[in-house]
Amino acid sequence: RTIGDRIGEAKASGNLGNTLKILGQFDEAVVCCQRHLDISQEQGDKIGEARALYNIGNVYHAKGKHLSWNMAQDPGCLPQEVKETLQKASEYYERNLSLVKELGDRAAQGRAYGNLGNTQYLLGNFSEAIAFHKERLAIAKEFGDKAAERRAYSNLGNAHIFLRRFDISAEYYKKTLQLSRQLKDQAVEAQACYSLGNTYTLLQDYERAIEYHLKHFVIAQELGDR
């Protein structure tokens, strides 16, 4: 501010916002991220504007998750305050998405699609969540980003469960399992086995359910995860 560096001030405000978000001070975080947005727009800095929109979306997303965890609600069965917060997150992600499309930033589009999928899932809009996660999956494959691909499969599996398409969920969870093994991530592998166990229980294929729950059990023991 002293040297009149507006872009520097905008970036510093954004960093403050992100830090306050991590500290759980969501309302103060929004104020700082909004300042980042305002200055970026005033300076015609499209990249800064896109980043600020994404960051504000993240603050509302984190606030919404924080509120819903405290209430231990199922996706879609949310109190009004939580719904409104997640809808705000979604709106900022949508604005971010249209701007990064304009800028031709595919990696940023991938992040926006993933977060839109997650917010729509929490809001109980499972079909919309699936559409966004499919877009996320396509971009992850484009970049060879195996970790993002794995997350997309997992999210697609979760959303199909709520639409009672258990067989489709099982296929997505199997892909999650395959990738978690490739990535040598045992905790995620255990999680995928657990999801598959539950899905096969819903499909009333109890032999297979037992098989996956045993795999989950073995990994949990190996990891010493009580």
Side-chain angles (χ1 to χ4, degrees):
R1 277 181 183 160
T2 311
I3 60 170
D5 175 2
R6 294 293 277 168
I7 298 280
E9 185 184 341
K11 282 180 184 167
S13 299
N15 289 337
L16 270 169
N18 291 339
T19 310
L20 287 161
K21 178 197 78 179
I22 294 164
L23 291 169
Q25 295 173 25
F26 303 115
D27 298 337
E28 295 93 323
V30 168
V31 173
C32 292
C33 291
Q34 185 64 49
R35 182 146 191 79
H36 184 193
L37 179 62
D38 294 341
I39 299 172
S40 299
Q41 285 174 330
E42 164 210 301
Q43 296 292 313
D45 174 10
K46 292 280 188 192
I47 292 169
E49 185 183 341
R51 202 162 289 158
L53 288 166
Y54 182 73
N55 289 342
I56 298 174
N58 283 345
V59 175
Y60 282 120
H61 193 177
K63 184 182 179 180
K65 280 199 289 195
H66 176 76
L67 290 170
S68 61
W69 280 336
N70 288 352
M71 297 161 187
Q73 299 282 336
D74 269 343
C77 315
L78 300 168
Q80 197 53 34
E81 185 195 356
V82 181
K83 260 189 194 162
E84 282 168 10
T85 305
L86 290 168
Q87 270 155 356
K88 271 186 186 164
S90 221
E91 282 160 28
Y92 280 100
Y93 288 141
E94 290 272 14
R95 285 172 64 188
N96 165 262
L97 180 61
S98 71
L99 190 50
V100 293
K101 275 183 176 171
E102 198 185 301
L103 294 166
D105 186 342
R106 287 293 279 166
Q109 286 169 48
R111 289 192 290 274
Y113 280 126
N115 283 334
L116 276 163
N118 291 336
T119 47
Q120 290 304 312
Y121 172 81
L122 290 171
L123 284 164
N125 303 329
F126 303 114
S127 298
E128 288 90 332
I130 286 165
F132 286 127
H133 284 309
K134 281 184 173 168
E135 294 281 1
R136 176 67 192 111
L137 178 62
I139 295 173
K141 284 180 172 175
E142 214 175 282
F143 280 88
D145 184 343
K146 294 287 182 193
E149 192 182 333
R150 199 273 309 151
R151 287 194 299 275
Y153 284 134
S154 188
N155 288 329
L156 283 162
N158 294 344
H160 278 96
I161 288 280
F162 282 94
L163 294 176
R164 305 191 68 76
R165 297 183 192 146
F166 306 132
D167 47 342
I168 299 174
S169 285
E171 291 313 308
Y172 281 124
Y173 288 142
K174 279 180 196 163
K175 287 180 170 160
T176 305
L177 181 58
Q178 210 180 336
L179 276 174
S180 65
R181 284 176 179 157
Q182 269 183 40
L183 294 163
K184 296 186 170 43
D185 187 334
Q186 276 197 298
V188 173
E189 186 183 339
Q191 207 180 341
C193 289
Y194 178 77
S195 297
L196 278 160
N198 288 340
T199 308
Y200 280 115
T201 301
L202 292 166
L203 285 164
Q204 297 181 336
D205 184 344
Y206 303 115
E207 289 300 318
R208 261 182 168 171
I210 288 168
E211 194 185 308
Y212 281 112
H213 282 309
L214 280 170
K215 283 179 181 168
H216 171 230
F217 182 56
V218 170
I219 299 170
Q221 280 184 319
E222 273 176 30
L223 295 173
D225 183 340
R226 300 286 286 172

